[in-house]
Amino acid sequence: MVLPSHINGDSKAVLDSGAARLKELGYKQELKRDLSVFSNFAFSFSIISVLTGITTLYSTGLNFGGPVSLQYGWFISGLFTMVVGLSMAEICSSFPTSGGLYYWSAKLAGPRWAPFASWITGWFNIVGQFAVTTSIDFSLAQLIQVIILLSTGGKNGGGYEASKYVVIAIHGGLLLVHALLNSLPISVLSFVGQLAAAWNLVGVIVLTILIPCVATERASAKFVFTHFNTDNGDGISSKAYIFVLGLLMSQYTLTGYDASAHMTEETKDADKNGPRGIISAIGISVIFGWLYIVGITFAVTNIPNLLSENNDAGGYAIAEIFYQAFKSRYGSGAGGIVCLGVVGVAIFFCGMSSVTSNSRMAYAFSRDGAMPFSSLWHKVNNQDVPIYAVWLGAFVSFCMALTYLGSEVAFQAMVSIATIGLYIAYALPIFFRVTLARKSFTPGPFHLGRYGVIVGWIAVLWVVTISILFSLPVAYPITNETLNYTPVAVGGLLILTVSTWILSARKWFKGPITNVDS
């Protein structure tokens, strides 16, 4: 079923289908609608950023299963992520608004449950997005620290190891730059987003070919495609258990594609191009991510050494791979450091796009009065940028990172919301679509037809599955230092959100509020 035509019979002008649908949904066009389908795709693709996620958590994949978990876990996560993305794209086509997930939940849950459904979804989404920005820029701060370490001689050569305070300072500086960039007009961000997408694509291709070619010792194809690492040093011997823990790298990487939904009020023909952005970002990321994993894994010959905190990179596996590949061939690891710089630029673009996405979410959520000081966060400047929402996202993300100064365990609990919290927000509107709105849902130009409900249920079950798997202990015996605090963090967010609803929000939050006459 397609949306009604928005062509005025007395005029040759055709109203943009996304703008027309936004008006039907009850919202004014306040943001500048200037993004093409490629620009929309670029924001999601840059946030997924396979160079960011895989590089950051490659050590986790090596530790839990090694090449087998890296290769096949990637495809398993990629397949089910596409299922989730297809369901989200179908809903996005019907409701192309910056609010995205929480607006979808409100419309799909029905009048009775709309306020509560949008409240829960919205808070999981926005806190998850803040946590994603925190983890991305913190990952870049850590990579910069490793680059400095290797550039000054490495851990075994007296290199400079930055303190946690220096890392936090770098993190704050990165957020400042990202906030400044996001204060620019959307036309500028569109160009930077396209540049980011191109950088990620070219970067993956170059590193995939270069690293194994430079390395003087290469792994065999049998090792790359069949070796299963059970020597994790964490007291876990079950292969099945090890494999599912190794999925974390893949699932953490393949997230953030809801950016295409949050950018729909700035995208031309968003009811068509928003869904295309979601699906293409996931599909291309899965393909290029696999190439990157294969290429890098061919340069892996000694897993224990790569994971050792006593190697030159201080246990940062991919940094050690790059550094040693060039050092073994040329006697200097400088080329490897340059390659890490290529990854660093990709992570920088990833963080910039993440701030863009969470600022649009904050703009929309506050437009409906759901946030403290809502009247401030949904204001746009004369360049059509939600400027206060931009700086709010950067500030909150920095505050979340400060937990690292007190405890790495507390910080990891905070960052765990980035994966599980965000995926719960993805699953809620899909759940309402296949239950309460199963018969009433009106699809947009992109729809799954009779398969929509089946695909939706698979998506919901996958999110339930990974929520359980990533809450399991990752080391034995379980102590304060080895306990997986993911269920504590996510459960805490749930309790806080529901409690706030019961004690206060249910009395005044009525869900999405239209700001134009129907």
Side-chain angles (χ1 to χ4, degrees):
M1 179 177 179
V2 298
L3 295 175
S5 172
H6 304 294
I7 302 176
N8 187 330
D10 299 325
S11 172
K12 294 182 180 180
V14 179
L15 184 62
D16 178 277
S17 61
R21 180 56 176 157
L22 183 67
K23 187 176 181 180
E24 288 180 356
L25 296 174
Y27 289 111
K28 297 177 183 178
Q29 182 66 54
E30 296 179 305
L31 303 176
K32 189 175 183 181
R33 196 172 286 274
D34 203 35
L35 297 180
S36 65
V37 61
F38 181 74
S39 297
N40 182 283
F41 148 81
F43 278 105
S44 281
F45 183 71
S46 298
I47 294 177
I48 293 175
S49 181
V50 295
L51 287 177
T52 300
I54 294 174
T55 300
T56 302
L57 289 184
Y58 190 79
S59 296
T60 300
L62 276 184
N63 193 46
F64 295 111
V68 167
S69 288
L70 290 168
Q71 307 284 357
Y72 306 108
W74 179 260
F75 277 115
I76 291 173
S77 292
L79 173 64
F80 285 106
T81 297
M82 180 59 79
V83 170
V84 175
L86 284 169
S87 290
M88 289 173 61
E90 182 182 52
I91 301 172
C92 177
S93 183
S94 184
F95 306 116
T97 74
S98 292
L101 310 173
Y102 87 90
Y103 183 91
W104 304 348
S105 287
K107 291 299 180 182
L108 296 169
R112 180 181 178 185
W113 293 103
F116 179 66
S118 59
W119 177 263
I120 291 291
T121 305
W123 278 108
F124 264 92
N125 190 196
I126 197 164
V127 173
Q129 286 213 19
F130 288 151
V132 165
T133 303
T134 301
S135 64
I136 292 169
D137 276 15
F138 192 82
S139 297
L140 180 52
Q142 288 183 313
L143 181 61
I144 291 172
Q145 183 267 324
V146 171
I147 290 174
I148 294 172
L149 173 63
L150 292 174
S151 300
T152 54
K155 189 167 184 177
N156 296 314
Y160 172 73
E161 293 186 71
S163 69
K164 60 173 60 178
Y165 296 98
V166 172
V167 174
I168 285 292
I170 295 172
H171 178 262
L174 292 169
L175 283 170
L176 176 63
V177 174
H178 285 147
L180 289 170
L181 285 172
N182 275 279
S183 300
L184 300 174
I186 189 61
S187 57
V188 176
L189 289 179
S190 174
F191 171 75
V192 177
Q194 293 179 42
L195 177 62
W199 186 275
N200 271 276
L201 289 172
V202 174
V204 166
I205 294 171
V206 170
L207 294 177
T208 297
I209 297 172
L210 181 62
I211 298 303
C213 287
V214 169
T216 54
E217 293 184 41
R218 285 184 288 274
S220 65
K222 180 179 180 181
F223 175 87
V224 171
F225 294 103
T226 66
H227 179 71
F228 192 90
N229 179 40
T230 57
D231 185 19
N232 51 71
D234 293 310
I236 302 173
S237 57
S238 168
K239 287 189 175 182
Y241 197 168
I242 292 171
F243 183 80
V244 298
L245 291 178
L247 291 176
L248 178 61
M249 181 206 75
S250 303
Q251 204 63 65
Y252 170 79
T253 302
L254 297 171
T255 191
Y257 44 87
D258 57 315
S260 288
H262 296 303
M263 302 305 294
T264 49
E265 289 187 36
E266 295 160 272
T267 301
K268 300 170 184 176
D269 296 325
D271 52 344
K272 306 179 187 72
N273 292 334
R276 289 170 181 163
I278 293 172
I279 295 168
S280 57
I282 296 171
I284 295 175
S285 293
V286 169
I287 294 170
F288 277 79
W290 180 74
L291 292 174
Y292 184 52
I293 291 171
V294 170
I296 299 306
T297 306
F298 266 109
V300 172
T301 56
N302 189 335
I303 293 177
N305 178 63
L306 293 177
L307 297 176
S308 172
E309 294 183 358
N310 295 318
N311 64 33
D312 281 319
Y316 200 119
I318 281 190
E320 182 70 9
I321 292 171
F322 289 2
Y323 186 74
Q324 291 300 333
F326 279 86
K327 190 174 182 180
S328 63
R329 183 170 291 276
Y330 301 110
S332 169
I337 296 173
V338 172
C339 290
L340 290 176
V342 172
V343 175
V345 173
I347 300 177
F348 179 85
F349 283 140
C350 180
M352 185 210 73
S353 297
S354 183
V355 172
T356 307
S357 180
N358 68 46
S359 67
R360 271 50 178 185
M361 171 58 193
Y363 158 80
F365 207 33
S366 61
R367 181 174 59 185
D368 293 322
M371 299 176 65
F373 309 107
S374 283
S375 60
L376 181 63
W377 312 129
H378 75 84
K379 287 183 178 179
V380 296
N381 62 13
N382 55 12
Q383 295 178 319
D384 300 321
V385 175
I387 190 72
Y388 297 110
V390 166
W391 287 90
L392 172 69
F395 176 74
V396 172
S397 296
F398 179 68
C399 291
M400 293 178 80
L402 291 178
T403 55
Y404 175 71
L405 297 178
S407 168
E408 288 193 36
V409 172
F411 176 74
Q412 290 302 324
M414 190 73 68
V415 173
S416 67
I417 299 174
T419 302
I420 300 303
L422 208 53
Y423 263 96
I424 289 174
Y426 292 176
L428 286 172
I430 300 174
F431 175 73
F432 297 133
R433 182 261 183 270
V434 298
T435 53
L436 298 176
R438 179 171 181 171
K439 296 181 179 180
S440 61
F441 175 67
T442 303
F446 175 85
H447 58 86
L448 302 175
R450 61 180 179 175
Y451 299 105
V453 173
I454 296 173
V455 172
W457 272 117
I458 295 173
V460 170
L461 292 174
W462 175 246
V463 174
V464 172
T465 300
I466 62 174
S467 298
I468 294 172
L469 294 180
F470 297 158
S471 296
L472 297 173
V474 295
Y476 291 89
I478 300 174
T479 65
N480 290 337
E481 294 299 319
T482 61
L483 179 65
N484 185 350
Y485 284 86
T486 296
V488 177
V490 176
L493 176 59
L494 177 62
I495 292 171
L496 182 61
T497 305
V498 173
S499 298
T500 306
W501 171 260
I502 294 172
L503 297 175
S504 175
R506 65 185 176 87
K507 301 174 184 177
W508 49 265
F509 181 69
K510 304 304 178 184
I513 303 170
T514 58
N515 58 16
V516 298
D517 294 331
S518 300

